[in-house]
Amino acid sequence: MSTSSQSPSSQWRIETPKTNSEQAYDRLRRAIIDGEFRPGERLTEVAIAAMFGISRTPVREAFARLAKDGLVRAAKGSGIEVVDPSLELTDIYYIREAIEGCAARLAALRATDEEIARILDLAQASRDADPTDVETRAQLNLEFHMAITTAARAPRLERLVSDYRELFASPRSLQRYTPSETRTVIDDHGRIAEAIRDRDPDTAEKAIREHLRRTYDLLFRVEPV
């Protein structure tokens, strides 16, 4: 069997779509972090299953995972109640600062010219986007951070970032920023991209760490926890 036309990774990769349980978990986790479900709010398998149009079993599995994350706990009677997610968010941002700081440093050292061009293009697209179009801005933000992670060429690091990618800025959270705050975080992307373009690992790491601290402060400023 000839394998000369394909790399082993592309030839043998099996695309596995997310199960209903995984999708329910991701959606509920995002909703709790974003404040769509408030601390103390009670959720039931029946209600969530109806909302998602799935059976109760995957919802039950999602609830179990959320309980392990410390985002929900058993409620009196039946169902679960939402726990204040502030500790989870704080931990995630400390982890993000360390991991993505490393990613930016490695990207400045390892990125190809094509990868750098992609990062610069995404930073410019963020500048050009309509500030009120939070859906587009959230997607560009995700693509920008993941492009840096990919350019770091460190598979272990990329997997770590992917573990919390659903907790990147969402349309709901971006709606809370003032125009000046929006411009500041967008300008951060430009500074990060330019440092990577200049092959300056120290500045790249410093810039992304400052950016993540700023977004953390804004998150807690606009949504007290």
Side-chain angles (χ1 to χ4, degrees):
M1 178 174 62
S2 174
T3 61
S4 59
S5 62
Q6 291 180 300
S7 68
S9 60
S10 63
Q11 181 185 7
W12 297 105
R13 184 176 294 121
I14 297 174
E15 298 297 336
T16 305
K18 286 189 174 182
T19 64
N20 284 342
S21 173
E22 291 170 329
Q23 293 183 64
Y25 168 76
D26 289 346
R27 181 65 186 88
L28 289 168
R29 182 177 167 88
R30 171 85 262 178
I32 292 170
I33 295 296
D34 265 358
E36 293 180 50
F37 297 124
R38 306 295 299 173
E41 185 171 348
R42 192 164 75 94
L43 309 177
T44 66
E45 291 176 13
V46 172
I48 297 300
M51 183 187 301
F52 291 166
I54 58 178
S55 70
R56 293 174 60 181
T57 299
V59 175
R60 186 179 307 121
E61 293 169 352
F63 281 1
R65 290 182 65 184
L66 291 167
K68 288 182 179 179
D69 290 344
L71 293 176
V72 300
R73 62 189 170 212
K76 292 181 179 179
S78 63
I80 58 168
E81 67 177 12
V82 175
V83 175
D84 188 333
S86 59
L87 180 59
E88 173 78 355
L89 283 172
T90 298
D91 289 350
I92 286 169
Y93 270 85
Y94 282 136
I95 293 167
R96 280 192 68 181
E97 184 181 327
I99 293 175
E100 293 193 49
C102 180
R105 169 173 288 277
L106 292 176
L109 296 170
R110 299 176 177 177
T112 65
D113 291 343
E114 291 77 12
E115 288 167 335
I116 290 174
R118 169 69 172 159
I119 292 167
L120 288 166
D121 285 347
L122 287 167
Q124 186 60 51
S126 293
R127 292 191 186 101
D128 295 340
D130 180 350
T132 65
D133 184 355
V134 291
E135 295 286 346
T136 296
R137 286 173 48 211
Q139 182 61 35
L140 287 170
N141 179 74
L142 171 63
E143 291 180 18
F144 178 78
H145 284 272
M146 294 309 299
I148 293 172
T149 303
T150 298
R153 298 183 172 275
R156 290 181 183 274
L157 185 150
E158 191 168 1
R159 287 195 294 272
L160 289 171
V161 173
S162 293
D163 282 346
Y164 59 74
R165 64 185 297 173
E166 83 278 12
L167 299 178
F168 285 10
S170 68
R172 182 183 174 90
S173 63
L174 292 177
Q175 284 177 330
R176 304 177 186 137
Y177 290 8
T178 67
S180 63
E181 289 165 349
T182 296
R183 178 51 51 192
T184 298
V185 296
I186 289 173
D187 287 345
D188 284 348
H189 281 195
R191 292 191 302 110
I192 296 163
E194 288 161 8
I196 293 173
R197 177 201 62 195
D198 295 342
R199 304 288 185 180
D200 184 342
D202 290 340
T203 299
E205 178 174 0
K206 179 181 178 182
I208 204 164
R209 281 178 173 268
E210 289 177 349
H211 170 65
L212 289 171
R213 281 188 214 123
R214 193 187 324 281
T215 56
Y216 172 85
D217 290 341
L218 285 173
L219 175 68
F220 283 90
R221 195 272 302 160
V222 297
E223 185 66 21
V225 291

